[in-house]
Amino acid sequence: MNHNKMAELAVDCRCELGEGPQWDAGSGRLYWCDILGKCLHWLSLKNGEHGHYPLEQRVSLATPLNDGRLMLVGEHSLSLLNPATQRLEHFADFEADNPVTRSNDARVDRHGSLWLSTMGKTAESEAGSLYRLHRGELTRLRSGLTIPNAICFSPMGDAAYFTDTATGVVMRWALDSQGWPVGEPVAWADFTAVEGNPDGAVIDSEGCLWLALWGAGKIVRLDTAGQVIDEVHVPVSQPSCPAFAGPGLETLYITTAQEGFSDAQRREEPLAGGLFKANVGVHGLADPLLTLE
């Protein structure tokens, strides 16, 4: 295991809570969110240009559809954004009558369906849930979660991974041929005895899982048995989520945060909240485009 891999700064964006990095092959852009800053950032990998869209609500993911639009996972609703015109169209609500929660981690599965989660705005115990948007219809899969994270899917689509960050354990959940959970999730990788808490995750082309360890300043790579086989360090303490991007999905991008920092911590970690990148010697696995029909 090479412990010396260090990610470098890609965009000095100082997000309060950077999250949800998502490659959009159609536009050649990487999108990511500042949940607390109510902002959607983008980076064009072709020319290095980057910019952002201010938003009216906390958004945790922007994932592409086949028509060039993005589905935004907002605080209590899903909406469709046309990046060219910046037109925003409401799609569906979730937990709209619950002032305690907001959306958190989300990712499209191998069937083109969107898994999304909610959590308490101040991480209220067991206030969160896990949902699946399948062909335009939203179904709650699980409730009683505190900080749902690490949503990602095995290459064959026969398993989902997720964590409740508060527990320190990554779970594996068997899926049927339509991508619906079967039985109960089982404990797969335990981080209770190490520094940092499991946060966002992504699967690579070899079926291994890259997991951000919030508070530990690193991303670890887990083999299919849940054992750590590699790691990448970031020069900030709060990495939140990794994603592969680029034409061959050859670069690992990592969102980070400065959430909860004191003024002293902000001075100590001036790059906190930035977007980082690393070449990790393995390619990513493309997330399918979100399908609404």
Side-chain angles (χ1 to χ4, degrees):
M1 186 162 74
N2 174 6
H3 288 286
N4 303 321
K5 285 195 187 116
M6 181 59 98
E8 61 182 79
L9 187 68
V11 179
D12 187 6
C13 48
R14 312 278 170 108
C15 292
E16 194 66 23
L17 178 53
E19 262 292 359
Q22 175 72 54
W23 171 240
D24 178 9
S27 67
R29 284 178 169 187
L30 177 76
Y31 287 98
W32 69 102
C33 304
D34 182 352
I35 297 180
L36 299 179
K38 298 183 180 175
C39 193
L40 175 63
H41 291 268
W42 59 268
L43 169 65
S44 167
L45 299 196
K46 202 161 50 207
N47 56 21
E49 279 180 26
H50 56 88
H52 64 271
Y53 304 104
L55 302 166
E56 295 291 303
Q57 57 172 332
R58 300 177 185 192
V59 168
S60 56
L61 182 76
T63 196
L65 284 78
N66 61 6
D67 60 8
R69 290 182 301 172
L70 300 168
M71 177 70 83
L72 302 189
V73 180
E75 203 159 320
H76 285 288
S77 64
L78 297 167
S79 48
L80 294 161
L81 173 70
N82 180 329
T85 62
Q86 296 193 32
R87 183 166 175 264
L88 200 60
E89 183 189 337
H90 180 268
F91 181 79
D93 288 320
F94 55 88
E95 298 189 15
D97 54 354
N98 185 343
V100 172
T101 57
R102 65 162 171 85
S103 69
N104 199 43
D105 197 40
R107 190 178 290 284
V108 172
D109 68 16
R110 302 284 167 235
H111 297 267
S113 301
L114 175 69
W115 288 47
L116 64 104
S117 65
T118 59
M119 64 173 279
K121 287 173 183 160
T122 56
E124 286 85 350
S125 182
E126 300 186 2
S129 294
L130 193 53
Y131 295 85
R132 188 183 190 216
L133 177 74
H134 181 66
R135 308 300 178 255
E137 192 179 334
L138 203 59
T139 303
R140 182 151 68 178
L141 303 177
R142 197 166 191 81
S143 52
L145 301 167
T146 301
I147 309 177
N149 261 314
I151 299 170
C152 58
F153 304 91
S154 64
M156 300 304 293
D158 57 351
Y161 299 91
F162 73 94
T163 188
D164 183 344
T165 296
T167 66
V169 178
V170 179
M171 310 296 286
R172 186 180 191 275
W173 208 354
L175 303 177
D176 68 17
S177 61
Q178 304 301 305
W180 292 104
V182 180
E184 284 294 300
V186 297
W188 178 74
D190 190 331
F191 290 89
T192 51
V194 302
E195 185 194 4
N197 296 302
D199 204 314
V202 69
I203 297 280
D204 67 25
S205 57
E206 296 174 4
C208 296
L209 185 147
W210 293 84
L211 176 72
L213 287 181
W214 176 277
K218 64 183 177 181
I219 312 292
V220 291
R221 185 187 190 211
L222 307 176
D223 65 16
T224 52
Q227 299 301 306
V228 175
I229 53 171
D230 204 354
E231 53 187 49
V232 177
H233 293 258
V234 285
V236 296
S237 58
Q238 292 182 166
S240 52
C241 193
F244 287 92
L249 299 173
E250 68 284 347
T251 307
L252 188 70
Y253 284 83
I254 301 155
T255 51
T256 68
Q258 46 181 319
E259 184 190 12
F261 272 17
S262 64
D263 289 344
Q265 282 173 297
R266 286 176 202 267
R267 284 194 299 272
E268 281 162 25
E269 295 187 24
L271 300 178
L275 177 76
F276 293 83
K277 65 177 181 177
N279 286 321
V280 292
V282 63
H283 291 250
L285 199 59
D287 287 332
L289 292 168
L290 175 59
T291 306
L292 296 181
E293 274 99 60

